[in-house]
Amino acid sequence: MLPTFKAAQKGAAMQTADGMKNRFFRTQRLGSSSVDSIRPFATPSSWLCGNSFFAILTLTLLLPAKISYGQDTANLSWLARATQTRSRQPDWVTPLITASANLEEAVIYDTSRKLQTNGSSLWTLGGPRGVQFVPFGKLQITYGATPYEVRVNSKSHDGFGDTSFAFKYRFASGNAENGNFAFSGLINTSIPTGSYQNGQQSAILSPVLLGEKGWGNFNIQTTFGAALPLAHSVSIGRQYSWSTAFQYHIGRFFDPELETNMLAYQGGTNHGQKQLYLLPGVIVGRFPVTRSAALTFGVGMQIATAHDRAFNHNLIFSVRVPLQSHGGRRSRFPE
């Protein structure tokens, strides 16, 4: 009788554990439509309940691309769900500075060198893009790579800048067969973690609208946003930005581009200034590394074209590792 009782206990425990696992990892296959329509934001409370941002980030970085959350064929792996979401949008690379309305699972690291008006050089290692992942549906979460500021020919101290987070939601989109467009909204928040005055005095909230449209191999991507300090608004001031990128895809890996970046200031030390920069550049990639990852490189030079300027000849380097399941639509990944 005793062995039978212990076996029954063990079987009940295994069934309970399996049931909890199935409930935790259960996913639903996305629809087959290739067009997203504008709908109210899907209620995030069910997803956020009992889960923190850092828990999701940890899962994104640690779970292998080929692990499936269940044996049922209706379930999808993490990257497969993100790949299906991206199959409903255009297949373009993200510009060097202009943010894209597309959703993308990727790791991005940017480096820039600005020649400032006081004659010194400012190297910025890292930036607001960092780790990007699509946890579900049409939402992208980004944890920015906290920048490190290196100053040449300057008495200012080197040090880390402000940490940032971003949340992007895609309102509407269509792939190349269904309009070749996307429209999204983004909220970026920077936290004043900078050392030696390499950051701001206050947290900054930046709402941004993003839109894009393509015609064959040519596309236009544009954004309009504002940087609104949550405190010290008189000394920091408000910044309004409008960026547009013109891209043309050549061959399999080559994407030359021209960007315009306009900045307008209200309040603060740059009050009334309107700065305009042109950025010719090129992005080369996605070179397949594995069946779920690729490698992309970008380089460009941001040139000041107006009298008002904070810097000139900003040399930009970008290294990106886009991720997706090997069954995705993007032709530059191996099938």
Side-chain angles (χ1 to χ4, degrees):
M1 295 296 293
L2 184 59
T4 304
F5 177 72
K6 289 184 176 180
Q9 278 189 322
K10 182 178 180 182
M14 293 178 62
Q15 290 178 358
T16 302
D18 291 341
M20 292 177 65
K21 180 180 178 182
N22 291 336
R23 287 194 297 272
F24 183 78
F25 291 118
R26 185 175 294 120
T27 58
Q28 297 295 328
R29 183 178 294 276
L30 299 171
S32 58
S33 172
S34 297
V35 182
D36 285 337
S37 60
I38 299 178
R39 294 196 298 266
F41 188 86
T43 56
S45 58
S46 60
W47 175 74
L48 289 175
C49 180
N51 296 276
S52 67
F53 172 81
F54 294 104
I56 296 299
L57 179 60
T58 302
L59 287 173
T60 304
L61 295 177
L62 297 181
L63 287 177
K66 294 185 180 181
I67 291 180
S68 178
Y69 299 147
Q71 300 300 320
D72 191 344
T73 56
N75 294 338
L76 297 175
S77 68
W78 180 279
L79 287 179
R81 285 181 292 156
T83 300
Q84 280 205 2
T85 297
R86 293 196 304 271
S87 69
R88 299 184 177 92
Q89 67 187 17
D91 184 24
W92 304 324
V93 297
T94 301
L96 288 170
I97 290 183
T98 304
S100 174
N102 285 343
L103 307 181
E104 183 175 36
E105 198 126 71
V107 178
I108 300 177
Y109 194 82
D110 296 334
T111 301
S112 67
R113 186 224 58 191
K114 297 182 177 72
L115 298 181
Q116 299 181 297
T117 55
N118 61 7
S120 64
S121 298
L122 172 63
W123 284 86
T124 302
L125 312 178
R129 284 174 173 162
V131 179
Q132 303 177 173
F133 58 100
V134 183
F136 64 90
K138 295 176 284 184
L139 176 70
Q140 175 183 298
I141 300 177
T142 301
Y143 175 71
T146 302
Y148 188 82
E149 309 277 345
V150 179
R151 303 175 186 275
V152 182
N153 299 325
S154 174
K155 296 181 180 180
S156 300
H157 291 281
D158 301 341
F160 286 99
D162 293 341
T163 300
S164 64
F165 303 87
F167 301 87
K168 184 195 298 184
Y169 184 76
R170 194 182 65 203
F171 300 117
S173 66
N175 58 22
E177 292 76 31
N178 294 275
N180 215 21
F181 76 100
F183 177 60
S184 302
L186 180 147
I187 295 289
N188 184 80
T189 302
S190 66
I191 303 172
T193 58
S195 58
Y196 300 110
Q197 297 182 344
N198 287 303
Q200 295 290 351
Q201 299 171 289
S202 164
I204 307 292
L205 187 66
S206 303
V208 183
L209 290 176
L210 313 93
E212 56 190 39
K213 181 71 174 74
W215 299 266
N217 289 333
F218 176 73
N219 72 80
I220 298 176
Q221 305 182 53
T222 188
T223 67
F224 179 78
L228 310 174
L230 302 184
H232 305 285
S233 58
V234 175
S235 58
I236 298 176
R238 296 180 176 87
Q239 176 182 298
Y240 303 93
S241 60
W242 181 22
S243 295
T244 303
F246 306 88
Q247 284 186 345
Y248 192 85
H249 180 63
I250 300 175
R252 188 181 180 190
F253 300 109
F254 195 63
D255 291 272
E257 66 168 32
L258 176 65
E259 296 188 44
T260 63
N261 313 118
M262 188 182 75
L263 301 173
Y265 295 87
Q266 180 184 19
T269 57
N270 294 325
H271 176 70
Q273 287 193 14
K274 295 181 177 62
Q275 303 177 11
L276 179 63
Y277 302 90
L278 293 181
L279 171 60
V282 61
I283 300 173
V284 183
R286 316 171 182 113
F287 300 107
V289 177
T290 69
R291 290 177 63 83
S292 298
L295 191 60
T296 299
F297 302 95
V299 63
M301 175 73 76
Q302 196 177 27
I303 303 168
T305 61
H307 179 268
D308 295 332
R309 63 185 66 179
F311 58 86
N312 200 0
H313 298 100
N314 180 20
L315 184 61
I316 301 172
F317 303 94
S318 183
V319 179
R320 299 131 182 238
V321 182
L323 306 170
Q324 76 167 54
S325 65
H326 60 267
R329 183 179 61 85
R330 300 196 172 194
S331 59
R332 281 175 277 179
F333 276 87
E335 295 296 337

